[in-house]
Amino acid sequence: MTLLFCSSSDNANVWRAEIAKRLPGLEMRVWPDVGDPADIRMALVWKPPAGMLASLPNLSLIVSLGAGVEPLLEDPTLPDVPLVRMVSDGLTLDMAGYIAFQVLRWHRQMDDYAALQAQARWEPLDHGPASAVTVGILGLGELGTAAARTLRTMDYRVLGWSRSPKQVEGVESFSGPDGLAAMLAQTNTLVCLLPLTPDTQGILNAALFAALPAGAVVVNAARGRHLVEADLLAALDSGHLRGASLDVTVTEPLPPEHPFWRHPKIRITPHVAAVTHPSLSAAQVAEAVRAFRAGEPLPNLVDRKRGY
Ligand code: NAP
Ligand code: GLV
């Protein structure tokens, strides 16, 4: 059984070495050196060229190097074979750390201190306790739950919104449109960790911002298309929102002329909130391959109808 690796943003040699440690003897080819396409039974991919997977006649398993699978599901030629997504400690810890950092950055006014330092001004600013800050998380799945737990250890009040109600210790769970409205009304820092689906695209829009209390902050670490960018600019410029941290944007890389780069209330990172570290994630790939070969149920299988 041959595995085809295809990603322009992951190091194939590092992955080869990590996979060889766990699956000795497994042949791995690296796209575009496919050899005979009929040999390929499994593919390990991040954003493969549209139609590439459909060109492999015996493909029986797709493993996504990313947690979010909309780049695959949006390819109309995607073969109808099991699709496993990435769920690993590396991604989860990365994301929990990124969200904690962004919540602290706005709560503890770190950008204001950077501006004061630039003027050599030693000027303590008021900040309330973490318990006085309510963080609302859109998406209480693998990443949202990990972020919620980390924030709880720091004493932030944490609310979470998901399709189905959840039980996470110390976290109030909301679902449905009424639940969303109830959560937003109490949220000082809104974090988006939803998958991108037809239901969630554009969810960060003018109506949602208006439902947040004045002075709220938005953190988007999910996908750029969750956000209506013009609506964010309007909500920041009107003074309703205090700031935004964006790890993802509609167009990536963010074009140099985009207004987000120079906006005083926006902080940008280049889609690095959580990364699939080979050393921490190869075990999950190996487990998917093992289960596939053994004919056992596959871990972290994507529900294509649901879209995540
Ligand atoms: P996940 O485990 O599938 O969790 C998704 C959560 O969103 C679940 O709680 C789900 O509710 C909820 N949800 C989905 N559709 C919803 C809807 N229409 N209304 C309300 N809630 C909805 O996903 P994950 O592993 O946490 O990853 C989340 C996303 O993070 C990924 O899809 C990806 O886009 C993004 N991501 C970004 C980076 C980065 O570096 N920026 C890295 C990794 C992932 P139920 O539990 O009720 O189904
Ligand atoms: C990264 O964005 C991922 O989906 O893993």
Side-chain angles (χ1 to χ4, degrees), residues 144-161:
T145 301
R149 291 201 169 111
T150 299
L151 292 167
R152 283 298 301 138
T153 66
M154 298 157 74
D155 211 27
Y156 287 99
R157 180 166 175 250
V158 183
L159 318 177
W161 184 69

Side-chain angles (χ1 to χ4, degrees), residues 189-200:
T189 301
L190 183 73
V191 173
C192 181
L193 283 174
L194 289 164
L196 185 67
T197 68
D199 287 342
T200 65

Side-chain angles (χ1 to χ4, degrees), residues 64-199:
S64 167
L65 284 158
V69 288
E70 85 292 342
L72 289 164
L73 297 180
E74 287 173 359
D75 175 358
T77 70
L78 185 71
D80 187 14
V81 300
L83 169 60
V84 163
R85 74 187 190 96
M86 187 55 66
V87 174
S88 79
D89 287 352
L91 269 178
T92 307
L93 292 169
D94 261 13
M95 187 57 87
Y98 176 89
I99 299 300
F101 176 85
Q102 296 302 340
V103 169
L104 279 167
R105 141 183 251 149
W106 294 103
H107 168 214
R108 301 296 299 270
Q109 303 162 82
M110 288 303 163
D111 295 310
D112 297 333
Y113 285 118
L116 288 168
Q117 178 173 352
Q119 301 166 58
R121 281 167 62 192
W122 180 278
E123 199 174 303
L125 304 172
D126 283 339
H127 69 267
S131 57
V133 176
T134 299
V135 182
I137 303 181
L138 299 172
L140 216 47
E142 295 290 337
L143 302 180
T145 301
R149 291 201 169 111
T150 299
L151 292 167
R152 283 298 301 138
T153 66
M154 298 157 74
D155 211 27
Y156 287 99
R157 180 166 175 250
V158 183
L159 318 177
W161 184 69
S162 46
R163 274 210 323 184
S164 50
K166 305 284 174 212
Q167 288 205 324
V168 181
E169 198 181 336
V171 178
E172 200 177 333
S173 163
F174 297 81
S175 55
D178 292 348
L180 178 60
M183 183 177 95
L184 294 174
Q186 309 173 53
T187 293
N188 310 116
T189 301
L190 183 73
V191 173
C192 181
L193 283 174
L194 289 164
L196 185 67
T197 68
D199 287 342

Side-chain angles (χ1 to χ4, degrees), residues 199-278:
D199 287 342
T200 65
Q201 177 152 334
I203 190 170
L204 302 176
N205 58 33
L208 177 140
F209 299 145
L212 290 167
V217 164
V218 172
V219 177
N220 187 14
R223 288 292 186 258
R225 281 186 282 150
H226 284 122
L227 175 67
V228 180
E229 294 186 337
D231 289 2
L232 177 70
L233 289 171
L236 290 169
D237 293 343
S238 73
H240 180 64
L241 292 182
R242 183 158 71 96
S245 295
L246 306 176
D247 184 56
V248 286
T249 49
V250 171
T251 305
E252 296 182 5
L254 187 63
E257 66 282 5
H258 197 288
F260 282 178
W261 280 120
R262 280 163 283 278
H263 198 286
K265 295 181 180 177
I266 293 180
R267 295 291 167 265
I268 299 284
T269 46
H271 201 144
V272 291
V275 168
T276 301
H277 302 286

